[in-house]
Amino acid sequence: MKEQVVANMERDAAAGKLNAKVEVADPTLTKAQQQQLLQHYVDRSQTLSYRMNNHVSRRVANLATRYFNRRTRIEGLANIKDVTGGAIVTSNHFNPLDNTVVRKTMRAAGKKRLFIVSRDTNLEMGGFIGYLMNYYDTIPISDDKEYAGRVFPQLVERVLADKQYLLIYPEQEMWFNYRKPRPVKRGAYYYAAKFNVPVISCFVEIRDLPLVDNAEFDQTRYVMHVLKPILPDPNLSVRENSRAMMATDYQQKKAAYEAAYGKALTYAFEEDDIAGWRGERLPFTNQPQKTV
């Protein structure tokens, strides 16, 4: 049920808090629990059991990617045809499974694996998504100083050195079905600059469908816009590069939004900002013949 989440987005957009957490009932951890969770992740990732479950989870992710993106269209794939080696991928964050849109795109570009940076609290999730969070190619991000300063950079470097792609959501928090690209934070671009890899800039357009999904939402489909890759400038410092790449990526996503939706990007909240949101627009009736 997302009514409170939509209300939180409206409130925070009006206050200019566009990177704030809006989801409700997310797991919370004490410092000790956080450290224990991260250490368990590091220890487990070296085990045979993890490697077996990682293999299974990637097969499951392939099936989920095909299922959830059977209507997804990809535009601009030629923009990254010359990208070689590792890269940081950035995209807008609007759904727990929006990484499957990115994954479908990168597989179309020839990459069989996509590593994903995810909040440490997501390791506490249950069910199907929780399984993927724990065993798929995820790297937890945390505000624990020891982990963030020492372990996390090593994990990022290992992925990039192996010539893999790493998805980092620069908006930080997920805003459910929010169409607009939000201001980006510097972390993704810092690591791109530090390890001298390009940023693959993406923006996902969300289109409404005239099909009922549930009491609050209609169904939607996605159009992935692959934008021009952003390369670090060898004449700039890591700090200068990260700031320049960050600004370029945001401007590219802004331009992609304006081209896709045919209007200027502002953060004045409108009901249509939430894709598929029924609100008071339509009565809900159970129509199983319209689900897919």
Side-chain angles (χ1 to χ4, degrees):
M1 302 301 288
K2 294 293 184 182
E3 184 176 356
Q4 183 59 54
V5 173
V6 173
N8 291 344
M9 285 188 273
E10 182 174 6
R11 176 200 66 203
D12 288 339
K17 299 178 180 179
L18 293 157
N19 304 105
K21 178 182 284 294
V22 296
E23 290 292 319
V24 297
D26 276 0
T28 58
L29 302 172
T30 66
K31 195 69 175 177
Q33 289 172 329
Q34 184 183 54
Q35 292 174 343
Q36 183 179 23
L37 187 69
L38 293 168
Q39 188 60 54
H40 180 59
Y41 164 83
V42 172
D43 293 342
R44 184 184 58 200
S45 66
Q46 307 302 315
T47 65
L48 176 62
S49 173
Y50 177 86
R51 290 194 291 273
M52 293 174 61
N53 276 285
N54 175 257
H55 179 72
V56 171
S57 70
R58 283 190 279 122
R59 292 179 65 110
V60 171
N62 285 339
L63 294 174
T65 295
R66 286 196 292 270
Y67 176 78
F68 288 117
N69 293 281
R70 57 202 182 279
R71 296 192 184 106
T72 296
R73 191 171 81 239
I74 302 170
E75 296 184 354
L77 201 60
N79 283 329
I80 59 172
K81 62 182 177 62
D82 295 326
V83 174
T84 59
I88 300 290
V89 183
T90 66
S91 187
N92 47 322
H93 192 19
F94 56 87
N95 189 286
L97 293 174
D98 58 24
N99 61 79
T100 65
V101 184
V102 182
R103 194 167 193 273
K104 174 185 173 73
T105 303
M106 297 308 132
R107 286 180 67 84
K111 284 288 183 181
K112 293 184 178 180
R113 297 179 76 172
L114 174 69
F115 289 78
I116 302 168
V117 170
S118 176
R119 288 297 308 177
D120 52 6
T121 52
N122 289 336
L123 296 173
E124 289 286 272
M125 297 176 70
F128 168 70
I129 295 178
Y131 177 77
L132 292 182
M133 290 295 178
N134 277 275
Y135 290 108
Y136 182 65
D137 292 328
T138 54
I139 299 178
I141 184 71
S142 174
D143 56 9
D144 179 78
K145 291 182 179 180
E146 170 67 14
Y147 175 85
R150 183 179 63 84
V151 179
F152 181 77
Q154 293 174 355
L155 297 174
V156 170
E157 184 178 21
R158 187 182 306 164
V159 168
L160 298 175
D162 200 31
K163 299 183 179 181
Q164 299 291 347
Y165 289 172
L166 175 64
L167 171 61
I168 301 179
Y169 291 110
E171 298 171 338
Q172 293 188 339
E173 298 294 340
M174 181 190 76
W175 280 28
F176 191 81
N177 274 25
Y178 190 69
R179 298 186 200 270
K180 296 176 177 178
R182 291 175 281 136
V184 295
K185 297 293 188 178
R186 194 163 66 98
Y189 314 98
Y190 166 79
Y191 288 110
K194 178 179 175 64
F195 298 119
N196 195 35
V197 298
V199 168
I200 296 177
S201 175
C202 299
F203 174 72
V204 181
E205 173 190 353
I206 315 173
R207 295 188 177 180
D208 294 350
L209 293 173
L211 303 170
V212 170
D213 190 19
N214 56 49
E216 295 181 306
F217 287 89
D218 291 333
Q219 294 181 30
T220 59
R221 70 178 183 91
Y222 306 129
V223 180
M224 165 61 90
H225 299 275
V226 183
L227 311 175
K228 291 182 180 180
I230 305 166
L231 307 178
D233 185 336
N235 297 313
L236 298 179
S237 67
V238 169
R239 180 182 177 86
E240 292 168 334
N241 255 320
S242 64
R243 291 186 178 276
M245 297 170 85
M246 177 175 68
T248 299
D249 194 24
Y250 177 71
Q251 289 302 319
Q252 287 193 172
K253 288 173 167 55
K254 177 178 181 290
Y257 168 87
E258 293 177 341
Y261 294 107
K263 59 183 179 180
L265 174 63
T266 74
Y267 294 110
F269 189 84
E270 301 172 325
E271 188 177 84
D272 190 57
D273 288 348
I274 313 301
W277 176 244
R278 297 175 65 83
E280 299 297 328
R281 291 177 299 161
L282 295 170
F284 172 71
T285 55
N286 188 17
Q287 301 179 41
Q289 74 276 12
K290 288 190 174 183
T291 61
V292 294

